[in-house]
Amino acid sequence: MRFYAETLGLAENIFILLRDLIHERTGLFFGSDRRELLADKLSPRVVDCGFESFIDYYYLLKYDTARAGEWRRLMNALAVPETYFWREADHINALVNVVVPALAQQGRPLRIWSAACASGEEPLTLALALTEAGWMERLPIEIRASDASEALLDKARAGVFRERSFRALPPALQAKYFEPNGSGWCVAPQILRAVSWQTANLTVEADVAALATADIIFCRNVFIYFSDAAIARVVNTFYRLMPSPGYLFVGTSESLLRLGTRFELEDIGNTFVYVKR
């Protein structure tokens, strides 16, 4: 792909046009230091569309009547598939041991949304952890997962994962909930069935309106790719649509404090969680 990018050449002015259009549509932001990365990701799409320049591709995304289909393919190209089971285990422990027990006292079904779930390891971790703790039997829990990439969601629905996905999962849980399947591991059917999957762009309110009414939202290691303006827009949507109390988990390297969010940052189960009171 590097060959295509070098052959096509992404001029600074065209880079800015594409960068700003992608940011507006997806929230993803490519600073000037990531110009080559964006060129690498876009080049195969430019070639597959039969174009000889990035400006032609920009016009397709901006004006062409067929742009909707190309945006879907572009989201697959821009997707960041880095995820694994049992990531940031303190969050999982807080969910199982503190948050769910607190919400269970309300006596109604619980809704959990894994936003930007990539290939599915995060929502399946939630289903596995809640099953292991007995909550899936004691309480009606709905787990929904979404991503902007249809290709990644197809992988998630298949439920087969390579060894790299298990680098943080305790071996006993891997043996209990996964079966060898060729060169990978297949998740137990009851865990896969516990999650429903759908395509959603976090910056499009119509896509997330129903999902964001969840009691608990996991939106981890996503905002590191967004601009502050895009983060604020998404987080404000979450706050407005979530019930009270509502719990928002973001990545441990991410902070919303500088954005002046209305969520309260609380220490829950030895980790920090944003809470709507």
Side-chain angles (χ1 to χ4, degrees):
M1 303 312 174
R2 177 78 260 167
F3 169 77
Y4 289 136
E6 292 175 350
T7 301
L8 291 167
L10 181 55
E12 177 70 17
N13 60 329
I14 307 305
F15 161 70
I16 292 172
L17 286 173
L18 282 164
R19 177 197 69 185
D20 290 351
L21 180 61
I22 289 169
H23 175 245
E24 176 188 350
R25 183 68 178 262
T26 70
L28 298 171
F29 185 74
F30 290 81
S32 296
D33 59 330
R34 302 177 73 204
R35 177 173 158 191
E36 289 188 2
L37 175 63
L38 183 60
D40 286 345
K41 288 181 175 291
L42 297 186
S43 295
R45 295 303 322 139
V46 175
V47 173
D48 287 349
C49 289
F51 297 141
E52 296 182 354
S53 71
F54 284 103
I55 189 62
D56 291 331
Y57 190 63
Y58 168 79
Y59 285 129
L60 167 63
L61 294 175
K62 181 74 173 177
Y63 302 111
D64 199 285
T65 55
R67 63 184 180 274
E70 183 54 33
W71 273 106
R72 288 193 293 272
R73 289 183 283 272
L74 177 57
M75 292 310 301
N76 292 334
L78 295 176
V80 180
E82 173 56 28
T83 184
Y84 50 91
F85 291 104
W86 225 253
R87 189 176 189 178
E88 297 177 353
D90 285 346
H91 286 171
I92 308 304
N93 293 331
L95 172 76
V96 171
N97 299 322
V98 182
V99 175
V100 169
L103 291 174
Q105 298 178 20
Q106 298 180 354
R108 61 174 177 80
L110 293 186
R111 293 165 296 163
I112 303 174
W113 174 30
S114 172
C117 71
S119 48
E121 285 89 335
E122 177 178 270
L124 292 172
T125 291
L126 304 181
L128 188 158
L130 292 168
T131 297
E132 184 70 6
W135 285 111
M136 297 299 284
E137 294 180 356
R138 285 179 276 167
L139 193 69
I141 299 178
E142 176 187 355
I143 303 174
R144 304 178 73 179
S146 71
D147 200 88
S149 169
E150 294 176 347
L152 287 178
L153 287 175
D154 286 342
K155 291 183 178 179
R157 293 186 184 102
V160 179
F161 302 90
R162 298 296 182 92
E163 198 63 42
R164 182 172 173 79
S165 294
F166 299 97
R167 59 187 182 272
L169 183 67
L173 293 180
Q174 182 176 352
K176 185 174 181 179
Y177 291 101
F178 294 84
E179 291 287 341
N181 183 297
S183 59
W185 292 75
C186 185
V187 66
Q190 74 269 26
I191 302 300
L192 190 60
R193 286 195 303 266
V195 181
S196 62
W197 315 87
Q198 67 184 82
T199 307
N201 182 334
L202 294 182
T203 64
V204 178
E205 185 167 334
D207 283 8
V208 305
L211 295 166
T213 60
D215 304 282
I216 303 162
I217 297 177
F218 276 73
C219 189
R220 302 187 299 172
N221 305 295
V222 179
F223 293 146
I224 54 176
Y225 303 105
F226 281 27
S227 68
D228 283 354
I231 297 170
R233 188 164 76 248
V234 172
V235 170
N236 287 337
T237 298
F238 289 173
Y239 188 90
R240 181 162 45 83
L241 296 176
M242 290 183 79
S244 181
Y247 298 83
L248 172 62
F249 291 81
V250 302
T252 54
S253 64
E254 299 169 312
S255 174
L256 306 180
L257 296 178
R258 69 185 184 282
L259 304 177
T261 173
R262 288 177 288 175
F263 283 99
E264 298 176 14
L265 184 62
E266 298 186 11
D267 188 345
I268 297 177
N270 297 318
T271 192
F272 289 104
V273 184
Y274 291 90
V275 184
K276 177 181 177 179
R277 294 294 184 187

